[in-house]
Amino acid sequence: MTEPVYIAGISCTRLAKRPDTSVKALVREAVEAALKDAGADVGDIDAAWFSNTRQPMLEGQNTVRGQIALRPLGFESVPVVNIENACASGSSALIQAMAHLKAGMADIALVVGAEKMVFPDRPEAMAAAFEGGTDIHDMPATKAFVRSLGGDADDRSAGSRSIFMDLYAAQARAHMDRFGTRQEDFAAIAAKNHTHARHNPRAQYREPMTVAEVMADKPIAFPFTRSMCAPLSDGAAAAVVCNAAGLKRLESAKARAVTIRASALRSGVDRETDDFEQHIGRLTAIAAYREAGVEPQDIDCVEVHDATAYAELQQIENLGLAEPGTVGARLARGDFALGGRQPVNASGGLLSKGHPVGATGIIQLHDLALQLRGEAGSGQIEGARMGLAENGGGFLRGEEAATVVTILERGPWASAA
């Protein structure tokens, strides 16, 4: 199953708090744009994967969500598979579609992620949806983990913030204790990403910020301020992916097609909190690099799952882009900013774009595809040839429950474009 898989078309809606927009409307917007980008029609799609996490709890649509969202667009008879893997749902759906294509069970597939998260009149349900990303049968252990790292897991009014902010904050404090990381380092990441977002017309927040402005923002859970945490968002993304036979059917997309060099999915392992060598992010990155036959230094553009500013720092280390404890100094040199050695979250990241959970993994690939096609406008990374996305989901025993690392490469036909 070594046949290559390509992204022939990809799209992302505007990300924002869109309380009057439905899941179906978001899906229509994303799918129609992706099909147009690929030069494809509904009839070209042999199978589809649909990722979503919140609709069962917040809207009551607890089954066959993909079939219901796609039928109004004309998708009939073809297999539709529903995927839920917390924040890593979209990238997990892509892996399933890739396996289908490599096995020859389809030539062209559609991967869709959509999330409706903002319900202003239901703050308690919105908060409860996040708690479902941990082991609800053992919440005392989760809260004990937060407390063991100096946090107060019970200092949360209903709907004020998700438990994930407390979990990330606890890990951030542990990193500060071990490596001397400063709150200003997290602020530098947030300021970088908010400043990058001015180039991204789809981002929820596009105003540049300084480190001082980030530090002065509303406190959430130490060391985080509001602008160090990803906002709630509504949005969708879709990708048309294919094998070589499918790309022949989509001849007009060939010049802009992006090659998927690798995509690795891992679950966590039991480890000590400070055993970073066994962190799920690092183990998944190693698997992806091995599959792609590349090294960290070969990557030109990176999108990581910065649900918080600490999460970006952690994943920069896990991906082998910097030694643990050195990210702050590297940020000060501008290594991870646009124009630097290896720009991270040139799109603005989740901190600025927003984080519509089930769509996030595909949105990351959309942003990388724009870079590899040379279509990122004023945020373009010069000469971008290879990109990497890290997408983590859920929380279990001190780390993400699922992580996907995907490596993309500019298509071999790009020079013909």
Side-chain angles (χ1 to χ4, degrees), residues 302-336:
V302 182
E303 292 287 326
V304 301
H305 193 95
D306 58 324
T308 65
Y310 167 71
E312 176 167 328
L313 182 147
Q314 179 186 59
Q315 299 308 334
I316 287 174
E317 295 177 348
N318 283 336
L319 295 171
L321 306 180
E323 291 295 321
T326 68
V327 174
R330 297 281 300 278
L331 286 163
R333 294 204 300 265
D335 285 355
F336 303 121

Side-chain angles (χ1 to χ4, degrees), residues 145-146 149-152 161 163-176 186 220-224 229 308 310-311:
F145 171 78
V146 173
L149 296 177
D152 186 348
R161 68 175 185 264
I163 193 171
F164 279 80
M165 296 303 102
D166 296 289
L167 291 165
Y168 275 120
Q171 293 174 83
R173 289 190 296 272
H175 199 280
M176 295 167 80
F186 303 131
I220 299 297
F222 185 81
F224 301 146
C229 305
T308 65
Y310 167 71

Side-chain angles (χ1 to χ4, degrees), residues 40 70 169 171 186 271-272 288 330 347 414:
L70 293 172
Q171 293 174 83
F186 303 131
R271 63 178 180 87
E272 296 297 324
R330 297 281 300 278
S347 66

Side-chain angles (χ1 to χ4, degrees), residues 97-356:
M98 289 174 61
H100 213 70
L101 294 167
K102 289 186 175 186
M105 297 175 69
D107 293 331
I108 303 173
L110 178 71
V111 183
V112 185
E115 206 72 79
K116 185 77 185 64
M117 300 180 69
V118 180
F119 292 81
D121 59 337
R122 303 183 63 193
E124 292 83 4
M126 290 167 61
F130 276 99
E131 293 202 356
T134 64
D135 185 351
I136 61 170
H137 301 288
D138 199 12
M139 286 302 291
T142 299
K143 293 181 178 181
F145 171 78
V146 173
R147 294 190 195 97
S148 73
L149 296 177
D152 186 348
D154 297 310
D155 182 23
R156 293 185 299 116
S157 59
S160 63
R161 68 175 185 264
S162 81
I163 193 171
F164 279 80
M165 296 303 102
D166 296 289
L167 291 165
Y168 275 120
Q171 293 174 83
R173 289 190 296 272
H175 199 280
M176 295 167 80
D177 291 342
R178 178 169 179 179
F179 296 107
T181 308
R182 306 170 304 150
Q183 186 184 26
E184 288 82 357
D185 296 327
F186 303 131
I189 287 172
K192 168 182 69 69
N193 291 358
H194 283 284
T195 299
H196 284 171
R198 72 186 190 273
H199 303 290
N200 185 353
R202 298 170 184 83
Q204 185 161 330
Y205 298 118
R206 300 186 62 196
E207 289 296 320
M209 296 187 74
T210 65
V211 170
E213 288 170 334
V214 172
M215 293 283 287
D217 203 357
K218 176 184 176 181
I220 299 297
F222 185 81
F224 301 146
T225 64
R226 178 172 51 191
S227 44
M228 297 183 200
C229 305
L232 294 173
S233 308
D234 300 327
V240 176
V241 294
C242 59
N243 56 22
L247 196 57
K248 287 182 180 179
R249 289 165 51 188
L250 302 175
E251 184 64 31
S252 64
K254 188 173 183 179
R256 297 167 63 245
V258 172
T259 304
I260 304 174
R261 285 286 297 265
S263 195
L265 167 64
R266 291 290 185 275
S267 300
V269 301
D270 288 334
R271 63 178 180 87
E272 296 297 324
T273 301
D274 61 354
D275 182 5
F276 294 104
E277 292 292 305
Q278 296 300 309
H279 192 284
I280 184 175
R282 182 175 183 274
L283 297 179
T284 310
I286 290 171
Y289 287 135
R290 184 181 299 120
E291 181 182 342
V294 301
E295 302 291 338
Q297 61 267 25
D298 297 321
I299 306 300
D300 302 305
C301 46
V302 182
E303 292 287 326
V304 301
H305 193 95
D306 58 324
T308 65
Y310 167 71
E312 176 167 328
L313 182 147
Q314 179 186 59
Q315 299 308 334
I316 287 174
E317 295 177 348
N318 283 336
L319 295 171
L321 306 180
E323 291 295 321
T326 68
V327 174
R330 297 281 300 278
L331 286 163
R333 294 204 300 265
D335 285 355
F336 303 121
L338 278 167
R341 183 176 177 183
Q342 284 179 304
V344 177
N345 286 333
S347 66
L350 280 60
L351 295 182
S352 300
K353 285 186 304 191
H355 181 21

Side-chain angles (χ1 to χ4, degrees), residues 7 9-13 26-27 29-35 37 110-113 236-240 359 362-363 366:
I7 297 175
I10 195 162
S11 73
C12 172
T13 68
L26 291 167
V27 170
E29 183 180 343
V31 170
E32 289 182 346
L35 290 173
D37 192 51
L110 178 71
V111 183
V112 185
V240 176
I362 305 171
I363 293 169
H366 167 267

Side-chain angles (χ1 to χ4, degrees), residues 396-412:
L396 183 63
R397 299 186 183 179
E399 63 184 4
E400 294 85 353
T403 292
V404 179
V405 174
T406 304
I407 297 175
L408 305 181
E409 186 174 21
R410 186 172 60 207

